[in-house]
Amino acid sequence: MDTAGRGGDPAVATAGGVTVPNVHSNTDSSNKTLLKSQALYKYVLDTTVLPNEPECLRELRLLTDKHERRNMATPPDEAQLLRMLIRLMGARNTIEVGVFTGCSLLATALALPADGRVVAIDVSREYYEVGRPFFEKAGIAHKVDFREGPALERLHELLADARNLGAFDFAFVDADKPNYVRYHEQLLRLVRVGGAIVYDNTLWDGTVALPPDAPLSYHDRRISAAMRDLNAGLSADERVEVCQLTVADGITICRRVV
């Protein structure tokens, strides 16, 4: 997790002399969606998501909604998707780049088998500690291998051990957006052929489709450009099959084929 690339400062920012709020300024778990109908999103949550949300995950989500940086949290429909993907794949070894309070990490750990593990990387142990009691309460804390520090460095350390090459089934990335392209190269060596790498926020509140002169804060313009570069690169990358979804803030699933 890197606050400069995930949610940024929720306060307004100046772009071209005009005060423009960051696009995620008022986001929490109840409205982090690209759907233009809030009623439809509420229907999805109330019908298929929230009734099936594990109690420990619900408690952590509601606690995170009170956090000043709540806009960085994984919404419940996205957490449900991650759990489904991990179970469909039969994943046992996973990586998470960017943790925050651990909503997506908890979803991952719940979906893994008893002997599964997730290497969780974040620059802030303080944020991770907010969610850790919920892992302990659920009896799954043993599945989490938390590693504090910059993700590029922690991933490099994993790559230094030949036993880790192609040893992971699944990776989820929700960290500093400009480094996504660099994480991609590292994760392609860690995730096995047939495994999946999932990137979050790849549509950045729809700003990737806006014209160049659209009014955006400096933060949003920078991240939106990074996401457009990433999306174009992933689409052209013959090492992966790509599926981009409009769930949450945009999720891109990459299946490694080479």
Side-chain angles (χ1 to χ4, degrees), residues 71-102:
N71 59 315
M72 297 195 301
T74 298
D77 53 334
E78 182 176 7
Q80 183 185 59
L81 174 63
L82 292 175
R83 300 201 320 272
M84 178 70 76
L85 288 173
I86 289 168
R87 286 172 174 155
L88 285 172
M89 293 180 63
R92 305 182 80 85
N93 293 311
T94 71
I95 300 174
E96 179 152 333
V97 180
V99 174
F100 188 40
T101 63

Side-chain angles (χ1 to χ4, degrees), residues 32 76-77 178 183 255-256:
K32 194 171 188 178
D77 53 334
Y183 298 148
R255 176 177 175 268
R256 183 185 168 192

Side-chain angles (χ1 to χ4, degrees), residues 38 130 139 150 161 202 212 226 231 235:
Q38 194 62 34
V130 172
D161 185 342
T202 55
N231 294 334
S235 179

Side-chain angles (χ1 to χ4, degrees), residues 1-3 5-6 95-100 119-125 145-160 171-188 190 199:
M1 186 278 299
D2 184 327
T3 56
R6 298 186 72 198
I95 300 174
E96 179 152 333
V97 180
V99 174
F100 188 40
V119 175
I121 302 170
D122 201 292
V123 295
S124 172
R125 178 174 288 276
D145 177 3
F146 181 79
R147 305 190 183 191
E148 184 178 13
L152 290 171
E153 295 178 13
R154 299 292 87 83
L155 291 173
H156 180 73
E157 291 168 359
L158 287 174
L159 287 166
F172 177 62
V173 182
D174 183 11
D176 51 318
K177 313 312 174 192
N179 272 325
Y180 272 25
V181 292
R182 300 174 71 185
Y183 298 148
H184 185 65
E185 294 304 318
Q186 292 177 305
L187 290 169
L188 277 175
L190 292 167
Y199 296 98

Side-chain angles (χ1 to χ4, degrees), residues 1-251:
M1 186 278 299
D2 184 327
T3 56
R6 298 186 72 198
D9 189 340
V12 295
T14 300
V18 178
T19 300
V20 179
N22 290 333
V23 293
H24 296 108
S25 295
N26 297 312
T27 299
D28 60 26
S29 71
S30 69
N31 60 10
K32 194 171 188 178
T33 178
L34 292 167
L35 289 175
K36 297 308 177 185
S37 168
Q38 194 62 34
L40 178 57
Y41 185 53
K42 185 177 186 300
Y43 171 81
V44 172
L45 292 181
D46 291 346
T47 304
T48 62
V49 178
L50 300 183
N52 299 298
E53 185 179 35
E55 182 64 19
C56 59
L57 194 52
R58 184 187 71 85
E59 292 175 352
L60 177 56
R61 174 174 59 83
L62 294 178
L63 177 64
T64 303
D65 274 346
K66 300 175 183 178
H67 196 283
E68 64 180 353
R69 291 191 177 276
R70 58 188 173 274
N71 59 315
M72 297 195 301
T74 298
D77 53 334
E78 182 176 7
Q80 183 185 59
L81 174 63
L82 292 175
R83 300 201 320 272
M84 178 70 76
L85 288 173
I86 289 168
R87 286 172 174 155
L88 285 172
M89 293 180 63
R92 305 182 80 85
N93 293 311
T94 71
I95 300 174
E96 179 152 333
V97 180
V99 174
F100 188 40
T101 63
C103 289
S104 56
L105 181 61
L106 182 55
T108 295
L110 286 168
L112 288 172
D115 61 346
R117 70 155 180 158
V118 50
V119 175
I121 302 170
D122 201 292
V123 295
S124 172
R125 178 174 288 276
E126 178 184 355
Y127 287 156
Y128 167 67
E129 291 295 330
V130 172
R132 192 162 65 90
F134 297 91
F135 290 80
E136 295 173 348
K137 181 180 178 181
I140 56 175
H142 65 281
K143 298 181 184 180
V144 179
D145 177 3
F146 181 79
R147 305 190 183 191
E148 184 178 13
L152 290 171
E153 295 178 13
R154 299 292 87 83
L155 291 173
H156 180 73
E157 291 168 359
L158 287 174
L159 287 166
D161 185 342
R163 293 173 298 180
N164 289 325
L165 302 182
F168 294 88
D169 306 301
F170 183 89
F172 177 62
V173 182
D174 183 11
D176 51 318
K177 313 312 174 192
N179 272 325
Y180 272 25
V181 292
R182 300 174 71 185
Y183 298 148
H184 185 65
E185 294 304 318
Q186 292 177 305
L187 290 169
L188 277 175
R189 298 174 61 195
L190 292 167
V191 173
R192 64 172 172 82
V193 172
I197 307 170
V198 178
Y199 296 98
D200 197 17
N201 302 111
T202 55
L203 298 177
W204 201 249
D205 202 53
T207 61
V208 293
L210 293 178
D213 60 349
L216 292 173
S217 69
Y218 170 78
H219 171 76
D220 288 327
R221 190 171 300 282
R222 173 173 171 264
I223 304 305
S224 182
M227 291 297 94
R228 284 196 299 271
D229 289 345
L230 173 77
N231 294 334
L234 293 179
S235 179
D237 191 341
E238 296 182 352
R239 298 168 297 177
V240 296
E241 291 178 342
V242 178
C243 178
Q244 190 163 55
L245 305 177
T246 54
V247 174
D249 197 31
I251 299 171

